[in-house]
Amino acid sequence: MQAFGNIASPIQRKTTKAGKAYAEFRLAESQRSRPGSSSDEPTWYTVRVMHGNVPEYVKGDFVRVTGKLKTDFYMGRDGKPTGTLLIIAFEGHKVAKPAQGNDKPEDTVSAVVP
């Protein structure tokens, strides 16, 4: 699965119970809707990169991530079951939006997640 969107939270570096490092952030994927449609709400994902060496993304960066889509269910703070869409990412690229009218390939910056 591929998702394009803006990073909506700072990257959090975490460790599993087994001691493996990973990074996690929230991604907001906006969908272009048809004129007159009322569904301009973004799709929210939690992106988990299971590598210790994660590119230095910052909140607001526009990225493309590729990975496996899963659902992650847990108990919310209010004690009710809730869940999130989780992308286990194996590749990620930071995408620089080209200047208006300038679509040359060198206007794109990317970084592959190892």
Side-chain angles (χ1 to χ4, degrees):
M1 140 169 248
Q2 266 190 349
F4 291 83
N6 292 92
I7 295 178
S9 69
I11 293 180
Q12 297 178 347
R13 300 188 189 283
K14 300 180 178 183
T15 306
T16 66
K17 292 178 183 176
K20 293 186 178 187
Y22 68 96
E24 198 170 86
F25 58 89
R26 297 284 289 159
L27 182 74
E29 180 183 48
S30 297
Q31 301 292 326
R32 290 185 182 167
S33 61
R34 288 181 251 150
S37 175
S38 62
S39 64
D40 287 337
E41 293 291 318
T43 302
W44 289 92
Y45 299 98
T46 298
V47 178
R48 188 172 294 160
V49 183
M50 300 302 292
H51 299 282
N53 186 13
V54 178
E56 293 301 318
Y57 296 144
V58 294
K59 184 177 176 180
D61 282 349
F62 186 76
V63 297
R64 176 189 63 161
V65 294
T66 305
K68 182 177 180 180
L69 180 66
K70 298 179 85 177
T71 52
D72 187 20
F73 295 102
Y74 55 91
M75 292 299 262
R77 291 183 180 151
D78 58 0
K80 296 181 182 177
T82 189
T84 186
L85 295 172
L86 175 66
I87 299 174
I88 306 296
F90 53 82
E91 183 179 37
H93 297 275
K94 181 176 175 182
V95 180
K97 295 180 183 178
Q100 193 169 7
N102 192 4
D103 296 329
K104 291 183 260 175
E106 57 267 17
D107 292 330
T108 301
V109 179
S110 63
V112 177
V113 175

